[in-house]
Amino acid sequence: MTDAPLPYLIRGSGPGLLLAHGAGGGAAANWTPVLDGLAEHFTVVAPDYPGSGDNPRATEPLQLDQLADDLVATAVAAGLDEFAIAGYSLGTAVATTAAVRHPGRVRKLALIAGLTHADPWLRQAIRTWQALFDGDPVPLGHFSVLMAAGADALAEGVSDELAATVGASLAPGVPEQFDLVSRVDIRPLLPRVAVPTLVLATGQDNLTAPHFSRALADSIPDAKLVELPAGHNVFIEAGPALLAALLEFLPTR
């Protein structure tokens, strides 16, 4: 682990599976609901970006190409020669970039609640998060839940106590990671993806709306599109369905 560019979790045995988390989350924070299920079939390597987990915040703006290269180098340092990549939210852009830049390493691609670029809605959401980040965790948490939860999950409302917990749980690297999201545009890369790809849309997503996933599936050659009945917080709202879709698609030998 000392030679890896990023700190990481490693679980299980079997074919390699590299996980790319979302902005404001982390390897454990995002992937824990499905991690054990994946580790029953794969050697799972889940790195933390700068500012997540035990990784210190970046001192310079994050760059997508560098983060993708670091993700792949971390998997190699962990002992994986080739692997599938599953990416979530910002991680879909990281995973797609890694697949294009390292075609000899990446076997399959699964893109969960993804995005193609930062449209005006997404940039406004990011500006709001950044404005709230250093203040009271209650409004920060309420806004985070509003963006992350699907309509079904919001049906009973959100208490201030839960909002405070959510606000306090965001990764310290939110400013740098969300700044990277605001600059993402992987549309030129999509026709160059040369591996089997599963796009998992989150049908109730208020942040990376389903139209992004449709655009990913339309632009990546032969990509398969599946919609899950969840908001952006798909790991909590539809974890079993997400795990089943990943296990059906990813190589298990």
Side-chain angles (χ1 to χ4, degrees):
M1 184 169 174
T2 56
D3 294 331
L6 303 171
Y8 62 91
L9 302 176
I10 184 166
R11 299 282 189 276
S13 61
L17 175 59
L18 179 59
L19 304 181
H21 68 75
N30 285 158
W31 294 99
T32 289
V34 298
L35 191 59
D36 287 345
L38 293 173
E40 291 179 9
H41 303 274
F42 305 98
T43 299
V44 180
V45 174
D48 279 308
Y49 308 155
S52 290
D54 294 328
N55 201 355
R57 289 176 64 175
T59 57
E60 300 289 340
L62 296 174
Q63 302 300 328
L64 186 59
D65 286 356
Q66 185 63 57
L67 190 56
D69 290 350
D70 286 349
L71 195 82
V72 169
T74 299
V76 173
L80 303 182
D81 290 327
E82 59 180 18
F83 38 83
I85 309 180
Y88 165 66
S89 192
L90 170 62
T92 63
V94 180
T96 301
T97 304
V100 171
R101 290 173 64 84
H102 302 274
R105 298 283 189 188
V106 182
R107 296 180 62 194
K108 282 193 172 185
L109 203 56
L111 307 177
I112 306 161
L115 68 156
T116 55
H117 65 293
D119 67 1
W121 167 266
L122 187 53
R123 290 196 299 272
Q124 184 59 43
I126 289 166
R127 282 193 289 268
T128 305
W129 255 308
Q130 291 171 328
L132 293 171
F133 184 69
D134 290 325
D136 187 334
V138 173
L140 173 63
H142 276 299
F143 181 72
S144 298
V145 172
L146 179 65
M147 291 292 98
D152 293 343
L154 283 172
E156 297 182 5
V158 178
S159 67
D160 284 352
E161 291 77 13
L162 176 58
T165 299
V166 171
S169 71
L170 292 175
V174 158
E176 296 81 29
Q177 293 176 16
F178 275 66
D179 172 69
L180 176 58
V181 175
S182 74
R183 293 181 278 112
V184 161
D185 188 347
I186 59 168
R187 288 175 291 183
L189 296 182
L190 301 179
R192 298 169 56 193
V193 174
V195 295
T197 301
L198 173 67
V199 179
L200 290 167
T202 36
Q204 299 179 19
D205 203 322
N206 296 313
L207 185 60
T208 54
H211 70 81
F212 282 123
S213 290
R214 290 192 291 269
L216 288 167
D218 287 344
S219 299
I220 295 174
D222 302 318
K224 178 183 179 182
L225 177 65
V226 173
E227 184 169 311
L228 300 175
H232 201 69
N233 194 16
V234 61
F235 297 98
I236 302 300
E237 296 177 23
L242 171 61
L243 178 61
L246 291 172
L247 293 179
E248 180 180 353
F249 173 72
L250 294 171
T252 56
R253 66 178 185 274

